[in-house]
Amino acid sequence: MPLQQTLRALSDPTRREIVTILKSGPQTAGQLSSRFTISAAAVSKHLSVLKDAGLVRIRREGTCIIYELNASVLEELLTWLLELKGDTP
């Protein structure tokens, strides 16, 4: 994914919180929505932005859609930041 799309997706505090939550393991949209005071539709929109940026993957289990963190995109971002700083991994 392009770095710009990743940074744009992470620029929103709600999306950063979703990423933090998913760090502990996969969750359904309903489970994620229950942790926020915003509407389920708003959480769904945030999940869509994260998915489009490659930060979140989805899989189906029956009628449920499970969201999980795609850490490889974060690793690419971290590598770029370390190179920018001058600390090559």
Side-chain angles (χ1 to χ4, degrees):
M1 285 294 128
L3 181 60
Q4 183 176 351
Q5 192 174 8
T6 302
L7 292 171
R8 187 178 309 123
L10 291 173
S11 70
D12 183 274
T14 300
R15 291 193 287 266
R16 289 193 305 270
E17 181 64 21
I18 290 170
V19 167
T20 301
I21 292 167
L22 291 176
K23 186 176 92 171
S24 65
Q27 296 201 16
T28 65
Q31 289 171 318
L32 288 165
S33 292
S34 70
R35 301 186 66 167
F36 294 93
T37 57
I38 59 176
S39 69
V43 171
S44 179
K45 175 66 176 164
H46 286 298
L47 287 167
S48 178
V49 171
L50 290 168
K51 181 179 165 284
D52 290 346
L55 289 160
V56 169
R57 290 187 290 239
I58 61 168
R59 63 181 159 85
R60 291 194 178 270
E61 284 187 10
T63 59
C64 292
I65 298 176
I66 309 295
Y67 294 86
E68 58 189 348
L69 185 62
N70 181 9
S72 65
V73 174
L74 293 172
E75 290 169 358
E76 290 173 22
L77 175 61
L78 182 58
T79 298
W80 178 76
L81 288 170
L82 288 172
E83 287 173 357
L84 184 66
K85 184 180 175 217
D87 296 342
T88 54

